[in-house]
Amino acid sequence: MKNLFCIKNLCILFVGATIFTSCNLFKKKPEKSSSTGWTYNDKNGSGFRVSKEKEQKTGPGLVFVEGGTFTMGAVEEDVMRDWNNIPRRVTVASFYMDESEVANVHYREYLYWLDRVFMDTAITNRALPDTLVWRSELAYNEPYVEYYFRHPSYNLYPVVGVSWKQAYDYCLWRSDRVNENILYEKGITNKKAELQKQMQGGGQDNFNTKAYLLGEYQATPGKGIKKYQDPLTKQVPTSISFEEGIILPDYRLPTEAEWEYAAYGLIAQNPNPRRSEKRRGEELTANKQVYPWAQNVNGLRDARRSSWQGQFLANFKRGSGDNMGVAGGLNDRAVIPGPIKAFYPNGFGLYNMAGNVSEWVADVYRPMTQTDGEDFNIYRGNKFQRIDLSTGKAERDSMGRIKYRDETEDEVKNRRNYQKGYVIDYLDGDSLSAVQYGYGQTTLVSDKSRVYKGGSWNDRAYWLSPGSRRFLEEDQSSSMIGFRCAMTRYGSQEGNGRKTGNWFGTRKQNNRKRN
């Protein structure tokens, strides 16, 4: 019996040793640098840390828009004789875009945060939408002045009365709040301590993404930050870097090219798109679209045989005095802007890229933009800046944001790719072009004129085409203009889980003997 007990113990020890050895055998070895041979993320290596994050996460409210080439510009007869959107083939890189327009409730959340953190009426008032845009000398719209923005019935209706500048500021705020929440959820920062600090900081001491990454905002670390300790020294950092792949890029206004490309949703016109990594797609577009929808591409109603047949595909004005049709058979069932997810989404899953409200885009307006710019990521509006280091380090402004300054001509005079910091008027209004825009004298176009697109609830069908374009000064607003945000896509142009470039399997060389 004693011998049996000893044999049993020996067996247990043998099995344990085998399992232990197996664990060591199958333990994943640290990744090595193909450049130096040193290991990454290894206490026995150089200590260099490389993030395991491989894909860019999709931010709240966004959908992925796979980029490509398309003909940007007019697709209908230029009945307005503006001659401001000459067709031109361009390429747009993949990006993300809001599924729908920014709604009243989203914008009120922004105002609440400003009021809570800064407790400064002047700051909050600068961000308030201009509800007086609803007024007209010969119309009774006072109820909309009072109720459209704040009544809960309109929570998920698009915010209007917001200027381009206000929309731009909202994007900055949204970027910081999204990244701040990501750090909370991953336990990298302490949510309770951070919120308390912001309430007591007098406004300036609030989370800003750039300030955090530069070390100018000292966040209260959470328990989750231990995951990012130095593999060599075991020192726990006070913050993480952008290289960890946790922080998202900035929310921003889409460029005109991005907006127009996204509006068409051309992927729905491809009869055989790539659906997996193993199956390639076709380079094919079946139809030339006038409007954003893939069904009845040249018409305004759903043409499919179903209960939807004949329904209007957008919220617009059918004709003079006809904003929604006849009682009992309303055509678009909306007299002013409708809910942000009403009507059918386009091929990319984007709602109301025609009608409902027109939308601000990032570009400065010029009549000939499509013929003057680059054919890749075309955009007018660049004003190149650098972080202001005049005091020897990065500083924050009264809103808690990092201060920037314009680049001087002396700083860029030796560059090949650009020679001026201010290039909004490049070759179209500057000294090199010999063209001058006398704003208020001979034209209404200036460097503050911003493009808006898409048509609205009060527009005729002509303006619903993504190629149409109009402009308004960046500090003005309208009851017919709202906005949505976009975000740059890093990595694979086909989205997460897809590779970049065409990959070919390794093949053995031809080993046949030569004569």
Side-chain angles (χ1 to χ4, degrees):
M1 189 72 180
K2 186 175 180 181
N3 290 335
L4 286 174
F5 181 76
C6 291
I7 292 171
K8 185 178 180 181
N9 286 342
L10 286 172
C11 290
I12 293 173
L13 288 171
F14 177 76
V15 171
T18 302
I19 294 172
F20 179 78
T21 305
S22 299
C23 289
N24 286 332
L25 284 173
F26 293 104
K27 186 177 181 181
K28 190 174 181 180
K29 294 182 179 180
E31 184 181 355
K32 279 189 177 183
S33 167
S34 59
S35 176
T36 66
W38 282 83
T39 53
Y40 299 147
N41 309 322
D42 183 16
K43 65 179 181 180
N44 297 316
S46 66
F48 182 53
R49 178 177 170 77
V50 178
S51 173
K52 297 298 182 183
E53 299 284 341
K54 300 298 183 184
E55 307 277 16
Q56 179 182 340
K57 305 299 183 184
T58 303
L62 301 176
V63 296
F64 177 68
V65 177
E66 183 179 331
T69 181
F70 82 113
T71 301
M72 183 179 180
V75 294
E76 293 186 286
E77 182 183 356
D78 189 10
V79 297
M80 304 302 292
R81 299 295 187 264
D82 286 332
W83 202 246
N84 68 353
N85 56 346
I86 300 171
R88 180 181 182 181
R89 181 161 290 278
V90 300
T91 292
V92 174
S94 297
F95 64 103
Y96 295 91
M97 199 169 194
D98 269 341
E99 182 181 28
S100 58
E101 299 134 341
V102 172
N104 286 322
V105 69
H106 302 143
Y107 203 84
R108 292 205 308 269
E109 181 183 3
Y110 168 47
L111 296 177
Y112 168 79
W113 185 91
L114 290 177
D115 192 52
R116 177 176 63 83
V117 172
F118 291 101
M119 294 178 285
D120 187 333
T121 305
I123 291 175
T124 304
N125 286 347
R126 283 201 300 269
L128 284 173
D130 180 11
T131 60
L132 298 182
V133 294
W134 286 105
R135 282 183 172 171
S136 176
E137 293 92 335
L138 296 176
Y140 178 62
N141 289 334
E142 288 303 301
Y144 300 133
V145 173
E146 295 291 329
Y147 302 129
Y148 178 79
F149 178 58
R150 298 193 180 278
H151 197 281
S153 295
Y154 296 121
N155 274 352
L156 293 177
Y157 284 50
V159 64
V160 298
V162 174
S163 70
W164 184 94
K165 282 185 173 180
Q166 290 174 318
Y168 176 85
D169 286 340
Y170 174 89
C171 293
L172 296 179
W173 167 83
R174 185 176 174 186
S175 302
D176 292 335
R177 301 291 71 75
V178 168
N179 283 323
E180 181 182 36
N181 191 57
I182 289 172
L183 297 179
Y184 291 159
E185 290 181 343
K186 291 186 174 295
I188 295 170
T189 56
N190 186 299
K191 183 175 182 179
K192 184 177 180 180
E194 283 293 288
L195 292 178
Q196 186 176 9
K197 180 172 66 174
Q198 288 180 17
M199 293 291 289
Q200 298 172 351
Q204 186 179 21
D205 196 23
N206 65 84
F207 178 88
N208 172 261
T209 303
K210 192 71 174 181
Y212 175 81
L213 294 174
L214 289 173
E216 295 301 317
Y217 176 81
Q218 302 300 321
T220 307
K223 295 179 180 179
I225 203 168
K226 292 180 180 179
K227 178 182 176 182
Y228 305 93
Q229 66 183 5
D230 187 297
L232 189 62
T233 66
K234 300 299 181 182
Q235 184 176 354
V236 178
T238 57
S239 63
I240 63 168
S241 65
F242 189 73
E243 289 81 356
E244 295 292 349
I246 302 298
I247 298 292
L248 289 179
D250 292 338
Y251 283 79
R252 55 177 175 78
L253 290 174
T255 67
E256 181 177 3
E258 287 176 334
W259 194 99
E260 189 170 329
Y261 175 81
Y264 282 117
L266 292 176
I267 196 168
Q269 291 289 356
N270 191 327
N272 187 30
R274 185 194 294 270
R275 302 187 187 280
S276 68
E277 191 62 41
K278 296 180 180 179
R279 180 182 175 185
R280 62 171 295 178
E282 297 293 335
E283 276 197 290
L284 183 63
T285 300
N287 298 295
K288 178 63 177 176
Q289 290 183 217
V290 173
Y291 301 113
W293 36 86
Q295 301 82 26
N296 193 14
V297 294
N298 298 315
L300 299 167
R301 297 177 183 269
D302 196 327
R304 293 169 294 180
R305 293 184 179 276
S306 68
S307 60
W308 296 342
Q309 188 172 16
Q311 289 194 4
F312 272 30
L313 292 165
N315 176 14
F316 69 104
K317 187 170 186 173
R318 183 167 60 175
S320 180
D322 184 1
N323 278 58
M324 61 177 174
V326 178
L330 300 182
N331 52 47
D332 63 28
R333 305 176 72 191
V335 66
I336 56 171
I340 57 175
K341 289 190 178 180
F343 302 96
Y344 201 79
N346 75 355
F348 288 123
L350 303 171
Y351 290 86
N352 289 302
M353 295 300 284
N356 217 30
V357 291
S358 297
E359 297 175 18
W360 288 115
V361 296
D363 292 57
V364 170
Y365 176 84
R366 287 293 186 271
M368 305 293 282
T369 296
Q370 279 79 354
T371 60
D372 292 341
E374 299 286 348
D375 62 2
F376 173 64
N377 285 345
I378 182 173
Y379 166 70
R380 179 182 289 277
N382 282 317
K383 187 171 67 171
F384 301 124
Q385 295 184 314
R386 299 186 183 190
I387 295 173
D388 186 355
L389 300 175
S390 57
T391 62
K393 67 169 188 173
E395 299 286 348
R396 302 173 71 193
D397 62 17
S398 60
M399 299 287 287
R401 300 167 182 162
I402 292 293
K403 293 181 180 179
Y404 282 80
R405 63 169 179 80
D406 296 339
E407 284 190 335
T408 65
E409 291 191 20
D410 188 58
E411 288 174 324
V412 301
K413 64 182 180 182
N414 294 323
R415 300 197 63 87
R416 286 181 175 269
N417 53 330
Y418 68 103
Q419 285 77 46
K420 294 175 65 178
Y422 185 90
V423 288
I424 288 177
D425 59 358
Y426 182 64
L427 297 183
D428 194 5
D430 61 1
S431 58
L432 294 176
S433 66
V435 175
Q436 299 297 324
Y437 286 92
Y439 178 73
Q441 300 173 6
T442 59
T443 181
L444 292 176
V445 177
S446 74
D447 288 356
K448 293 184 178 180
S449 302
R450 299 287 176 170
V451 179
Y452 67 92
K453 297 175 75 70
S456 76
W457 59 274
N458 205 30
D459 283 319
R460 304 292 183 91
Y462 173 81
W463 297 109
L464 302 187
S465 174
S468 63
R469 59 199 302 258
R470 289 174 283 184
F471 69 93
L472 188 68
E473 295 302 287
E474 63 184 26
D475 55 359
Q476 296 182 14
S477 57
S478 166
S479 63
M480 296 179 286
I481 302 177
F483 70 101
R484 73 179 74 207
C485 303
M487 179 184 287
T488 302
R489 163 70 185 180
Y490 298 145
S492 169
Q493 291 298 289
E494 292 186 349
N496 291 345
R498 301 289 180 85
K499 295 178 179 179
T500 297
N502 292 327
W503 291 72
F504 299 88
T506 304
R507 297 178 180 178
K508 293 182 179 180
Q509 297 296 321
N510 192 335
N511 293 323
R512 289 181 299 174
K513 294 181 180 180
R514 296 182 180 180
N515 295 330

